Amino acid sequence: MAPEGTPPPVVLACGEVRTCLLPALQTLDGRSAAQLLGLRADERVLLSERPNVYGRSPDTLTGVDCPLPSANGARVRAVGTVAARASLTEGRVLQSSAHFRVPAAGPDHRRPWGHYLVRPGTVEPFGRLPHETVAQGLLNGGRHGELDVGLIADGLLTRLLRHPLLDQRPPLKSRPTRLRWVALSAERDEEPSMERFTLAEDELRTVRLRVPPGTPTGEVAGLCDDLALHDWLLTTLVRILDGIRLGAAEPPARLRPRSGEDRPAVVTALRPAVDHLLHLWMPRARVARELAPLWEVLEDRPGFTRQWRTLVQRIRDQLALHAIPPPHREAESPP
């Protein structure tokens, strides 16, 4: 039995990640990244150059007092703070994420805000938490007036995208994606597991995890940031290739261009991917060692890295083909 005064264990964590291409023609260097991600004057931006160039903002807190979503419609009021942060990978891919954790039970009445502020990123329910039904409700998305962690992540991203450092001239067309996740506590001796990874409509992905009790929520959020980054890379590369007419039937001789006028279109479409995306693939670069095995689920099925390598090879093959000069055709002699 837990000693008196011991807080109840965390049984659920939830978060949402927004991922997009930085709307700037040039990548940001370390100093500019620190300016972009400097969300708080009292804490420095985390910058690193190994194994790739990466910057992460300090956490910001948003106070909440509202019902939690639940799959069966039960009203579960909760009070606390949601933590949000932003990151920039290789000066090119921008992410904002928000997350919180929920203990198994909370007080029966609201406490002063000071109680919640010393527990950053924790949202306490009133009474016991029906964690399974709340987890499913969070994945499904709540109704108006319920806690929506995605709105907090989206608000942070909107703030960053208006930064004066950004010239709003991205080097290629892309769409942002959303990844919503929940993590439930596993049994004491159970290994972490990924129970479900789903591609939903409207650029939404959902992830349901089981993690050992006591796993820091920040580490789970880091794993999901990494999943969101690489899912966005795959999605963007697929769309680039889908937008190009590859392997079309050869036109009749009388309609063929005489000097390869159609080649620049393919090269122009593919070159931004080579310049800005292909070097970004680095799964698990910043994932906690205890959670890194969860990546193996995605490597086995659907096979993230396998699909990435196939797409990269297609791009390189197309660029190689278009680097070959057209066959020389001798001019016909006059009659």
Side-chain angles (χ1 to χ4, degrees), residues 258 327-335:
R258 288 175 295 179
H328 177 68
R329 292 183 296 175
E330 296 183 1
E332 297 180 2
S333 57

Side-chain angles (χ1 to χ4, degrees), residues 32-300:
S32 298
Q35 286 182 256
L36 175 69
L37 300 174
L39 303 181
R40 292 173 53 176
D42 60 334
E43 285 196 41
R44 298 177 58 185
V45 173
L46 171 66
L47 296 173
S48 64
E49 296 182 353
R50 301 289 186 274
N52 56 8
V53 179
Y54 176 81
R56 193 179 76 197
S57 76
D59 284 356
T60 62
L61 299 178
T62 300
V64 295
D65 180 353
C66 56
L68 295 173
S70 63
N72 61 5
R75 186 174 177 84
V76 183
R77 183 182 170 190
V79 184
T81 58
V82 174
R85 66 191 185 191
S87 64
L88 185 65
T89 301
E90 289 287 351
R92 179 48 68 195
V93 181
L94 180 63
Q95 292 183 285
S96 67
S97 65
H99 62 270
F100 63 90
R101 57 185 176 268
V102 192
D108 294 328
H109 59 280
R110 178 170 168 168
R111 295 181 177 179
W113 269 115
H115 168 84
Y116 302 106
L117 290 176
V118 297
R119 295 164 175 79
T122 300
V123 174
E124 294 184 348
F126 283 23
R128 296 198 63 81
L129 177 75
H131 54 276
E132 288 288 350
T133 186
V134 168
Q136 191 56 48
L138 289 165
L139 278 185
N140 294 342
R143 296 170 295 184
H144 179 71
E146 295 178 334
L147 179 55
D148 188 344
V149 70
L151 285 180
I152 297 174
D154 196 54
L156 176 56
L157 183 63
T158 299
R159 170 185 169 184
L160 293 169
L161 292 177
R162 293 172 178 167
H163 199 284
L165 277 173
L166 308 180
D167 58 22
Q168 307 302 322
R169 297 168 59 201
L172 55 92
K173 290 183 178 180
S174 65
R175 298 183 213 165
T177 57
R178 300 180 292 150
L179 184 142
R180 183 182 300 152
W181 59 269
V182 297
L184 293 154
S185 289
E187 297 298 327
R188 179 65 56 181
D189 298 325
E190 189 178 355
E191 295 293 324
S193 63
M194 182 178 296
E195 297 184 339
R196 187 162 58 250
F197 178 85
T198 305
L199 300 181
E201 58 185 11
D202 299 328
E203 318 303 326
L204 173 66
R205 288 83 171 97
T206 60
V207 180
R208 180 182 168 105
L209 305 168
R210 291 274 180 184
V211 297
T215 301
T217 306
E219 292 184 358
V220 182
L223 166 71
C224 294
D225 289 352
D226 196 52
L227 294 180
L229 169 65
H230 290 85
D231 172 77
W232 181 88
L233 287 170
L234 269 177
T235 302
T236 302
L237 218 57
V238 167
R239 286 181 179 145
I240 289 173
L241 286 166
D242 284 348
I244 302 171
R245 198 177 175 199
L246 302 178
E250 187 176 358
R254 60 186 176 82
L255 298 178
R256 293 176 198 162
R258 288 175 295 179
S259 57
E261 293 93 334
D262 63 333
R263 289 176 184 171
V266 174
V267 174
T268 300
L270 292 179
R271 181 166 181 173
V274 177
D275 291 342
H276 301 282
L277 301 182
L278 298 195
H279 62 291
L280 300 183
W281 192 260
M282 200 172 295
R284 294 175 287 193
R286 290 180 173 82
V287 175
R289 181 176 300 177
E290 294 76 15
L291 299 177
L294 292 176
W295 250 102
E296 297 303 325
V297 178
L298 298 176
E299 297 293 24
D300 180 50

